Amino acid sequence: MSQWLSAFPFLTPYEKPFYFVILGILLLPSIFASLKGKRLGGYQAFLTLFFLWMSFGGPHRQQGFALIAYVVWQLLIAASYVRYRQTANRGSWFYLSIFLSLLPMILIKVLPLYTETQPLLYFLGYSYLTFKSVQVIMEIRDGLIKELRLRDYIQFLIFFPTISSGPIDRFRRFTAELHQPPSSEKYVELLGKGIHYIIIGCLYKFIIGYVLGSQLLPIIQDKAVNQGFLFLGSLGYMYTYSFYLFFDFAGYSLFAVGVSYLLGHETPINFNKPFISANIKEFWNRWHMSLSFWFRDYVYMRLMFTLIKKKVFKSRIVASNVGYFALFLIMGVWHGLTWYYIVYGLFHASLICLTDAWIRFKKKHKEKIPSNMATKGLSIFLTFHAVCFSLLIFSGYFDTLLKLFFTYNI
C-alpha cells in the first residue's frame, strides 16, 4: 500500500497532460448520467474528494490539512453569523465575521514578512476560497441568501475544477445549478463547449504559454539585463510577459470552466479578448472578470454607497476617484506586500480616473471630438500599451533592474 501511494502521481490541478487523462476517465460516469438529464451527486462528491486528494495529498499533505482546517473555520463563521441574524440585526457581528473570514488570508500574506518558512495555513487557492467566503457573509447580511445549507456551502467552497485558479463563482448561481441539473439538450451544448474550452486551454497553456514563458522570456531578459540591450530588451520583455501572463492564466481558467461544464455547471468565463479594449475600464470588464466583478460588487460599490450616504465628499467625482484608489490599492496589496504590486494597483487607479475624466470631457465636447474607426483603433493601441506597461511593473522586472543598479554602484 505504501509503495502504491509513493508511486501515485500527486499533481497540481491542470499542471500536466496526465492530469487530463485521469480526469477524462473518471468523468465518464458523470457525463453519461448528465446526458440522460441526471446528476450523480454522490459520485461528484467522490470526484471532488479524489481530485483534492490528488492535489493536496502526498508531498502536499500539509496543504491538505490547511484546506480542511480552513473549510471548518469558514463553516463555523458562516453558521454563527446565520444564527446571529435570526436573533439580531445589528452590524457589529457582520464586521467581525468579515474580519474573521479574511483572517487566514491576512496571516498567509503577512507571516512571510517575519519568517522565511511558508505559513502552515497556506494551501493552493486560498485567496479564491476567501473571496467566496466573504461573498456569502455579505449576501447573508443583504438578505439575498435566506438559508445556508452547510452541505451546499462546502460544495461551493471546494468545487475542485475552480479551487486552484478560479473563476470566482457566485453562491446563488452555483447552488441553483446544484439542485437543478441541466436537461439532456442543454448538457449536450455544455459538453461541446466544455471540450472546446479544454482544447483551447491546452493551446494557450501548454503551447503558447510554454513558448513565451519558458523559452522566450529568459532569453529576452538576459539580453536586456546582461547584454546591454536595455531599452529594446525591456520593450520585448514587456510584450512577451504580457502575452505570456494572458495565455497562461486564460489557459488555466479555460480548463476550470471546461471541466465545470462537463460536470453540468456553467462557471463564468474569466477572460474575453482583453487586449482589444478601447479604454482601461473596458479592459477590467474583460480581464480576470470574476475577480474584477467581485471587487466591483463587494468592495467598490459598497465603499461608494458609504461615502455618498455619509456625505464624506461633496463631489461624486471625488468620491468615485477615492473609491478607485482604495479599490486598486487593496487589489495591489492582495497580490502581495511588495512595492511593485502596490504601484501596479495605484497605476491602474490613476488610469481609470483619467479615463473617467476623458469620458466626461468627450460628452461635454462630443461635437468637436471625432469618433470613428481610426480613433477607436488609437484608443485600443494606447490602452494595450498602458496595460502592457502595468504588467511589466507587476512582473517585478523593475525590481530586478533596481537591485542590479544598486549592486553595481555599490
Short mmCIF file of all heavy atoms in Angstrom, two decimals, residues 226 312 316:
data_model
loop_
_atom_site.label_atom_id
_atom_site.label_comp_id
_atom_site.label_asym_id
_atom_site.label_seq_id
_atom_site.Cartn_x
_atom_site.Cartn_y
_atom_site.Cartn_z
N ASN A 226 21.79 41.56 -19.05
CA ASN A 226 23.21 41.18 -19.04
C ASN A 226 23.98 41.55 -20.29
O ASN A 226 25.22 41.57 -20.27
CB ASN A 226 23.33 39.66 -18.80
CG ASN A 226 22.71 39.23 -17.48
OD1 ASN A 226 22.83 39.95 -16.49
ND2 ASN A 226 22.06 38.08 -17.48
N VAL A 312 -19.26 62.02 2.84
CA VAL A 312 -17.85 62.26 3.16
C VAL A 312 -17.26 63.29 2.21
O VAL A 312 -16.45 64.13 2.61
CB VAL A 312 -17.06 60.94 3.10
CG1 VAL A 312 -15.59 61.17 3.37
CG2 VAL A 312 -17.64 59.92 4.09
N ARG A 316 -19.42 63.76 -6.18
CA ARG A 316 -19.46 62.35 -6.50
C ARG A 316 -18.21 61.93 -7.28
O ARG A 316 -17.77 60.78 -7.18
CB ARG A 316 -20.71 62.02 -7.32
CG ARG A 316 -21.99 61.97 -6.50
CD ARG A 316 -23.19 61.69 -7.37
NE ARG A 316 -24.39 61.49 -6.58
CZ ARG A 316 -24.86 60.30 -6.21
NH1 ARG A 316 -24.20 59.22 -6.55
NH2 ARG A 316 -25.97 60.21 -5.51
#
